[in-house]
Amino acid sequence: MTQLNASTLGSLPSAVAVPRYDRRAVAPAIVHIGVGGFHRAHQAMYLDRLMNQGEALDWGVCGVGVLPGDQRMKDALDRQDGLYTLVVKHPDGTLEARVIGSLVAYLLAPDDPEAVIVQMAAPVTRIVSLTITEGGYNVHPVTGEFQADEPAVQADLAPGAAPSTVFGLVTEALVRRRERGLPPFTVMSCDNIRGNGDVARGSFVAYARLRDPGLGDWVEREVRFPNSMVDRITPATTDADRELVAEAFGIEDAWPVVCEPFEQWVVEDDFGQGRPPLEDAGAQLVADVEPYELMKLRLLNGGHQALCYLGRLAGYEYAHEVAQDPLFAQFLAQYMDLEATPTLGAVPGVDVDDYKRALIERFANQEVRDTLARLCAETSDRIPQWIVPVARSRLAAGGDVALCALVLASWARYAEGVDEQGEPIEVVDRLRDRLMAVAAGQHADPTAFLAQRDLFGDLVEDERFVAAYTAALASLRERGARATLESWVGVLGDAGSISAAAPAADDPAEP
C-alpha cells in the first residue's frame, strides 16, 4: 500500500495516471472557495488536464475552506501535498484512475482569515472561484434579494471584525487590491444556480454597499462575474470508495473522489485578468450561458428532484435503483418531455432529446452509487431554483403542471420524516425543524406545506396548481409512491421520444 503524497508519485501503479508536470512550477492564480468532491472532479480536473498538456502552469489552485468542518479536508490534503485520486466509474465497471495535481495549497479561513485575505489580495491571484452550494449566496429563494439581516453578515460588517463569511473575506481582499492599485480579480461562480454569475454579482455588490455605498458601486462596475454551467455527477466520498482505491490501485488516499464519465463546463468568456485556456481542455467558452444552464438545471438537477423523494419513499437507497425501475424512469421521461422541456429555448449545438436520453443512462449508472440521501438534502435551496420556475412557466403558458405538483408533493410527504415502510427518514435541510413541523400537520391542512411563501411564492393561490398538488399529496399519503406513479403515468400515456429509454426490469445495466 502506497501513501499518496508528492514523494510517492513515482511508485504508484502504471495504471494510475499521475501529473506529468513539475508541480513546484505551478503558481496559484486561482483561489477556490468550497473545495469539495465536485470541484475536485471538475474544475481542478480540467486545470490538471491543461497542465499535463504543458499549459496553464500559472493557473494553479489555492483551496479555501470557510466552515469549521472543512478542517477534515485541510488535514487530508495537507498530508497528501494537495494530491488526491480521481476515479471515473464507467457503467461497464471499468475504473479509470488519475492523481490530480492542480491544487497546490489549502487555507482554512476559521483558523486564519487574514491568510485567506492576503492570498486573494496578492498580485498572483486573478480568479476567485466558488462552489459554496445553492444556499451559499444568502439570497431569498423567492425575491432573490440579498438577506442583509443574516447574523453572520451583520457580524462581518461590524467595525474591526475579522471576516468569517465568503462575502466578508472576498470584499476585504478587493478593498486591499483597490487601495494598492491592483486590478480586481474575477469572481467565478460554479454553483447550480440560474445565472450564477449574476447571482454572485448581486450578493457581493449588495454586501459591499452595506459596507460602503461607493465600494458597492466600484465592485459592480469593475469586478467581472462570468456565468457558467457545470455538470458531472459526483457522489460524496464514502469509506467504500477509500477501500476501492486501496484495493484496486494500492493507494492509501484519505479523501479520493469518484464520479461518472460525463463532464461538461460551459463558461461565459468574461474575465478581467485573463483566464486559463479552458477550451483546450474541453470546456465551452460562449457569449451566453443561459440556454445550456437552463437545460441542465431543469433537466438534470430538476430530474434528480423528480426521482429522489419518490424513490426514497418507496424504499430505494440509490439513484441508479430508481432510474433502473421502468415505472420511475417513465415518470422522469414524462416530466422532462411534457413539463420541463417546453420551458427551454434552443440550445446551440445540443440535441435536447439526446441529452435527455443520456440523462436516464447517467442516472442508471450503478457503478457511481449516488445516494438518494445526497440528492434529497438541502431541498429548500434546490426545489425553489429547479422545479418551482418550471411550474410558474407552465402556469403562465396555460400548460399542464401535474408532474411539477407531484414533485413538490413528494417533498412535502418526504418531510414527514418516515418512509412507506415505517422507517425513519433523516431530513437534512437548513429549514428542517420548521418544514417537518409543517409537514406533520398537513393531514389536517393539505396546503400547509405549499403555503410556505419563502419557498413557493404565491403558488398556493393558484387553484389549478393547488388542485393538482393536493391530489398528489393525498395519493402519496394514502396509496404510496408506486401506486401514485402508476396512476399518473397511466393517465399521461406515452411521453414520446425518450420514453423508450426506460430500462427493462431484467437488464438494469442497459437503460
Side-chain angles (χ1 to χ4, degrees):
M1 189 73 61
T2 302
Q3 169 65 55
L4 180 62
N5 57 51
S7 66
T8 61
L9 281 178
S11 60
L12 297 182
S14 59
V16 180
V18 299
R20 299 191 300 271
Y21 49 91
D22 184 356
R23 295 182 73 233
R24 294 169 299 181
V26 176
I30 299 174
V31 171
H32 183 81
I33 301 175
V35 178
F38 182 78
H39 168 71
R40 295 189 295 145
H42 197 267
Q43 295 99 5
M45 181 278 301
Y46 276 91
L47 293 166
D48 180 77
R49 181 181 290 166
L50 284 173
M51 292 173 188
N52 278 318
Q53 295 169 183
E55 303 179 83
L57 291 179
D58 55 342
W59 288 102
V61 179
C62 172
V64 169
V66 294
L67 302 174
D70 292 328
Q71 181 71 55
R72 291 177 57 235
M73 180 67 75
K74 176 175 171 55
D75 292 344
L77 291 174
D78 282 354
R79 286 197 303 272
Q80 298 175 183
D81 301 313
L83 299 166
Y84 59 91
T85 313
L86 177 65
V87 179
V88 178
K89 293 185 169 183
H90 294 269
D92 64 0
T94 301
L95 301 177
E96 180 185 350
R98 61 188 282 196
V99 174
I100 303 296
S102 55
L103 184 66
V104 295
Y106 189 98
L107 302 173
L108 190 65
D111 279 358
D112 193 348
E114 178 64 18
V116 174
I117 295 166
V118 167
Q119 182 65 40
M120 289 191 289
V124 69
T125 299
R126 290 180 277 171
I127 294 174
V128 171
S129 56
L130 312 168
T131 47
I132 56 176
T133 77
E134 298 81 19
Y137 294 84
N138 194 44
V139 297
H140 192 282
V142 174
T143 67
E145 296 296 320
F146 186 75
Q147 300 181 107
D149 58 352
E150 172 65 31
V153 168
Q154 287 297 311
D156 270 12
L157 290 169
S164 65
T165 69
V166 64
F167 311 107
L169 292 163
V170 169
T171 301
E172 175 60 26
L174 286 169
V175 167
R176 295 187 190 184
R177 292 178 77 102
R178 185 174 67 158
E179 291 173 346
R180 297 167 188 170
L182 293 174
F185 44 71
T186 295
V187 177
M188 180 174 66
S189 170
C190 297
D191 283 298
N192 288 317
I193 303 172
R194 180 180 181 182
N196 53 14
D198 298 331
V199 171
R201 176 185 292 106
S203 291
F204 284 99
V205 168
Y207 178 88
R209 282 207 173 106
L210 291 170
R211 178 168 166 168
D212 171 47
L215 174 63
D217 293 342
W218 179 82
V219 171
E220 184 172 39
R221 183 177 64 251
E222 300 294 337
V223 181
R224 306 288 182 86
F225 294 87
N227 290 302
S228 69
M229 182 271 263
V230 295
D231 191 357
R232 189 170 222 181
I233 295 173
T234 308
T237 300
T238 66
D239 287 339
D241 296 321
R242 295 179 178 89
E243 293 170 7
L244 172 68
V245 171
E247 293 172 4
F249 304 105
I251 299 175
E252 184 180 340
D253 188 335
W255 212 318
V257 186
V258 300
C259 62
E260 65 166 340
F262 184 91
E263 62 183 62
Q264 189 176 19
W265 194 3
V266 184
V267 189
E268 181 183 7
D269 199 356
D270 183 23
F271 293 79
Q273 299 303 312
R275 61 169 176 80
L278 296 172
E279 63 271 33
D280 292 348
Q284 298 167 260
L285 278 295
V286 301
D288 184 9
V289 172
E290 184 175 33
Y292 305 91
E293 189 176 58
L294 279 181
M295 176 186 71
K296 190 256 182 173
L297 295 178
R298 295 187 177 180
L299 297 178
L300 185 148
N301 298 111
H304 269 151
Q305 299 296 290
L307 288 184
C308 65
Y309 310 101
L310 292 165
R312 181 63 184 84
L313 290 170
Y316 286 123
E317 183 179 357
Y318 293 99
H320 70 265
E321 295 173 329
V322 186
Q324 290 172 6
D325 185 313
L327 176 63
F328 286 78
Q330 179 79 351
F331 168 70
L332 173 60
Q334 291 180 338
Y335 171 75
M336 291 193 293
D337 269 356
L338 302 179
E339 297 193 13
T341 301
T343 71
L344 306 177
V347 185
V350 177
D351 184 313
V352 175
D353 285 338
D354 286 347
Y355 182 82
K356 289 183 286 188
R357 271 189 289 268
L359 279 183
I360 294 181
E361 294 172 358
R362 292 168 62 192
F363 290 178
N365 183 344
Q366 60 192 11
E367 300 300 320
V368 173
R369 297 182 70 78
D370 200 6
T371 65
L372 295 179
R374 182 184 81 89
L375 301 180
C376 291
E378 304 299 345
T379 314
S380 60
D381 292 328
R382 295 179 168 187
I383 274 185
Q385 297 277 353
W386 303 335
I387 302 293
V388 171
V390 174
R392 291 189 179 283
S393 179
R394 297 297 290 149
L395 288 168
D400 194 8
V401 291
L403 303 181
C404 286
L406 176 54
V407 176
L408 297 193
S410 71
W411 177 26
R413 169 64 184 85
Y414 174 90
E416 293 178 3
V418 60
D419 68 15
E420 294 166 12
Q421 292 73 44
E423 297 296 322
I425 292 173
E426 182 182 359
V427 176
V428 176
D429 196 286
R430 62 185 175 84
L431 303 179
R432 175 185 183 276
D433 293 344
R434 188 237 291 185
L435 294 178
M436 291 189 73
V438 172
Q442 61 192 358
H443 62 285
D445 179 4
T447 63
F449 201 86
L450 189 64
Q452 306 305 299
R453 291 178 180 268
D454 58 331
L455 301 174
F456 307 113
D458 59 359
L459 282 181
V460 73
E461 297 176 10
D462 189 291
E463 294 182 2
R464 190 157 61 93
F465 191 85
V466 168
Y469 171 85
T470 54
L473 181 60
S475 181
L476 289 172
R477 300 189 81 250
E478 296 166 11
R479 304 167 63 216
R482 180 168 293 278
T484 297
L485 284 183
E486 287 171 348
S487 297
W488 259 245
V489 169
V491 169
L492 291 169
D494 186 359
S497 61
I498 69 169
S499 298
D506 60 351
D507 192 6
E510 294 294 331

